[in-house]
Amino acid sequence: MSLVAQVKKLKEERNAVILAHNYQVPEVQDVADFVGDSLGLSMQATRVEADVIVFCGVDFMAESAKVLNPSKTVLLPEIDAQCPMAAMLGVEGLIELKRKHPGAEVVGYVNTSAATKAEMDVCCTSSNAVKVVSSLRSERVIFVPDENLGKWVQRTVQDKEMILWPGFCPTHNSVTPAQVLKEKRLHPKAKVVAHPECRPEVLDLADAVKSTEGMIKFVKETPSKEYIIVTEQELLHRLKKEAPDKKFHSIPGMICPNMKRINLRSVLSSLEGMRHEVTLPEEVMRRARLPLERMMAIGRGD
Ligand code: SF4
């Protein structure tokens, strides 16, 4: 029996669903019940009726699924599929920042641990960060941990003072303007669509700045036939499927090694051994649920 067939069979037996992020390898995306961005996956996690969620993404995403649907067994197939940006801000760092800036509301990118979320007022993803910050009453906002995303939001939301944290995504932050300019020279007719986790000088070269789901919507709705996609390269798998009449180029080497830890074999052994189950203290889940639910009530921004 093929690996795909074995995964599907065991998924049935365990009454499981597979949720996969847009940056997962194609073989995992193709076997998943739902593929999406962080916001879409969080929303999907709340609707799961099956007993088990196999979460193909990184640690903080699987934690959010557990927080949002705590009666389910949530499995992260590879224990070391961890997001380095999420590790750049711990609970103590956020508490200290809150102490320094009393009265500021705290907006946290979902790329944080559940324990850190427990200290936030509201979460956001790259698809709704502008909408979330704009919705706040406070004029001072602590925005953590992605500094590039915070700077991008600040360009649009100018009536608030944003206090940022020096966190970043190594995959997006490493892209340079020279790399984008090189792709533009090679493909002069292509539109540049960049993710807001990139540096400001890279975003300055983009025709559009979008979250991953925003990119998919953008290429479907705009007449251009060719695009340079400045985000993790695996998004091209979905783009090619959903806009087969268009041509896409990625930035060479734009790969998140943490997302690549999971493959079909690890999904299968996760289901076989019911490993690695996400467990969180009740109190952390209770407090982290509030900012996540507040974010979902605000909804998608683009
Ligand atoms: S792409 Fe960046 S932010 Fe996303 S999981 Fe990888 S390291 Fe973290």
Side-chain angles (χ1 to χ4, degrees), residues 211-228:
S211 65
T212 53
E213 288 299 318
M215 288 180 181
I216 292 167
K217 189 165 176 271
F218 180 79
V219 305
K220 284 180 174 174
E221 290 175 355
T222 45
S224 289
K225 290 282 176 210
E226 203 174 351
Y227 299 86
I228 297 163

Side-chain angles (χ1 to χ4, degrees), residues 282-298:
E282 282 297 328
E283 179 62 6
V284 166
M285 288 203 280
R286 187 187 65 75
R287 292 181 62 208
R289 198 169 298 128
L290 297 172
L292 279 168
E293 286 180 345
R294 210 175 148 194
M295 169 188 78
M296 290 193 294
I298 293 168

Side-chain angles (χ1 to χ4, degrees), residues 111-248:
N111 298 38
T112 41
S113 68
T116 311
K117 285 184 179 78
E119 296 294 331
M120 297 171 185
D121 293 307
V122 57
C123 290
C124 72
T125 69
S126 53
S127 81
N128 66 3
V130 168
K131 198 173 173 189
V132 167
V133 174
S134 304
S135 75
L136 301 177
R137 263 182 275 167
S138 169
E139 285 173 7
R140 292 166 73 238
V141 175
I142 293 172
F143 187 96
V144 292
D146 188 2
E147 190 174 20
N148 288 337
L149 179 62
K151 285 180 177 170
W152 171 250
V153 173
Q154 182 79 87
R155 286 191 195 188
T156 310
V157 187
Q158 290 174 351
D159 62 337
K160 295 191 193 297
E161 180 199 348
M162 288 179 65
I163 300 141
L164 306 179
W165 182 263
F168 60 91
C169 162
T171 303
H172 288 83
N173 194 59
S174 63
V175 176
T176 63
Q179 285 177 284
V180 178
L181 289 169
K182 184 179 175 193
E183 291 305 310
K184 274 171 76 105
R185 274 195 301 278
L186 290 170
H187 314 289
K189 289 188 182 156
K191 292 262 182 239
V192 177
V193 192
H195 193 280
E197 286 174 10
C198 295
R199 293 190 218 169
E201 56 270 33
V202 166
L203 301 184
D204 286 340
L205 298 171
D207 295 289
V209 176
K210 301 280 177 191
S211 65
T212 53
E213 288 299 318
M215 288 180 181
I216 292 167
K217 189 165 176 271
F218 180 79
V219 305
K220 284 180 174 174
E221 290 175 355
T222 45
S224 289
K225 290 282 176 210
E226 203 174 351
Y227 299 86
I228 297 163
I229 301 296
V230 192
T231 193
E232 216 276 348
Q233 65 172 26
E234 229 68 86
L235 185 68
L236 267 66
H237 184 62
R238 260 192 81 191
L239 287 168
K240 286 175 186 168
K241 268 188 176 177
E242 297 192 27
D245 56 325
K246 304 206 171 181
K247 206 170 170 184
F248 302 102

